[in-house]
Amino acid sequence: MAKQNKTAISPTREEDFPQWYQQVVRAADLAENSEVRGCMVIKPWGYGMWERIQQQMDQMFKDTGHENAYFPLLIPLSYLEKEAEHAEGFATECAVVTHHRLEAEKDDDGKTKLVPSGKLTEPFIIRPTSETIIGAAFARWVESYRDLPLLINQWANVMRWEMRPRLFLRTAEFLWQEGHTAHETKDEALEETDKMLGVYATFMREHLALPVITGRKSENERFPGA
């Protein structure tokens, strides 16, 4: 009988690719699931990879004239309602903040529990993306064409209440980057889009050694809200 080769990770990639991937993440000590369903703890090895990615891409963005800014984690519900069509795709994945404090109460067994109190006059959404609040800021910042172009980048975390989480692939909270720009003409905006698409492609190919095909995504490939 032929001796079966042992593998460092079980199952093998050929046997069960999704499970193999999760086992690789754990064996490499990159991340682990947390007490909050759908959220992960990124361990030092995994976060170190993110830091290198962030550092290299951040310099590439700055080389094209972009500046970093930071926008609020909480977005007023009314802001998303103004762009209901945009928000519709991820509306079912939004986490909503409705109260602003906790109060201690005793239950029937005499145990202390914390109860939400101080209901907000308007709910806040934990950002699934920052388009609406960044757009509001741009409206304040731009008074004439002399203020253009605006080339802004944000490194942040976002939350989408993912029901089928996978470490690094789909989690409820994840780290990301979003670029937002404003231009005097449509042609300038399209030129900026092509330029940044090239930056992403260059990073994927030359820094991560991953082949990519640039172009428009099909409807099936677009994430909610795209």
Side-chain angles (χ1 to χ4, degrees):
M1 179 182 294
K3 186 177 180 180
Q4 186 175 5
N5 292 329
K6 291 185 178 180
T7 60
I9 301 295
S10 181
T12 65
R13 181 165 52 179
E14 291 74 17
E15 291 170 342
D16 187 339
F17 185 87
Q19 185 59 32
W20 169 85
Y21 167 79
Q22 296 296 310
Q23 293 301 328
V24 167
V25 170
R26 292 184 175 88
D29 206 27
L30 301 180
E32 64 184 17
N33 291 312
S34 76
E35 294 81 358
V36 181
R37 187 185 184 282
C39 296
M40 64 178 177
V41 175
I42 306 176
K43 302 179 79 172
W45 276 108
Y47 197 79
M49 293 169 62
W50 169 249
E51 287 181 313
R52 293 296 298 274
I53 289 172
Q54 187 181 41
Q55 290 165 5
Q56 293 171 34
M57 291 198 76
D58 191 67
Q59 189 58 55
M60 295 172 76
F61 296 152
K62 288 175 179 174
D63 288 344
T64 61
H66 291 75
E67 297 179 297
N68 286 333
Y70 186 83
F71 297 86
L73 173 70
L74 300 178
I75 298 175
L77 176 62
S78 59
Y79 278 39
L80 288 184
E81 288 176 337
K82 291 177 183 178
E83 299 191 18
E85 183 177 348
H86 166 72
E88 182 179 0
F90 49 73
T92 58
E93 299 176 354
C94 287
V96 185
V97 178
T98 58
H99 295 73
H100 63 79
R101 67 173 177 265
L102 297 172
E103 293 183 353
E105 291 185 0
K106 298 286 187 180
D107 62 17
D108 294 338
D109 297 326
K111 294 181 179 179
T112 300
K113 61 180 181 178
L114 294 176
V115 179
S117 180
K119 188 173 182 179
L120 296 169
T121 55
E122 178 181 3
F124 289 103
I125 310 300
I126 299 178
R127 61 181 170 217
T129 179
S130 294
E131 273 87 348
T132 56
I133 204 159
I134 291 177
F138 279 14
R140 295 191 300 270
W141 299 352
V142 178
E143 295 182 353
S144 77
Y145 69 91
R146 295 181 180 86
D147 298 316
L148 300 172
L150 277 179
L151 306 176
I152 298 297
N153 177 66
Q154 177 177 228
W155 295 99
N157 64 332
V158 296
M159 176 164 282
R160 297 187 179 185
W161 213 256
E162 174 60 45
M163 292 294 101
R164 293 177 294 277
R166 297 288 185 275
L167 292 174
F168 288 119
L169 293 180
R170 296 187 69 88
T171 49
E173 179 192 6
F174 51 96
L175 303 176
W176 86 339
Q177 166 272 327
E178 53 183 320
H180 297 271
T181 65
H183 303 269
E184 184 178 356
T185 68
K186 178 180 178 180
D187 287 342
E188 290 178 358
L190 292 174
E191 181 181 352
E192 171 73 9
T193 301
D194 288 338
K195 178 195 296 183
M196 297 315 296
L197 183 62
V199 169
Y200 289 124
T202 296
F203 180 80
M204 295 293 288
R205 291 169 179 151
E206 299 183 8
H207 293 247
L208 299 184
L210 294 173
V212 294
I213 299 173
T214 59
R216 291 182 179 272
K217 288 183 178 292
S218 68
E219 289 289 342
N220 291 335
E221 293 174 302
R222 295 175 188 172
F223 61 84

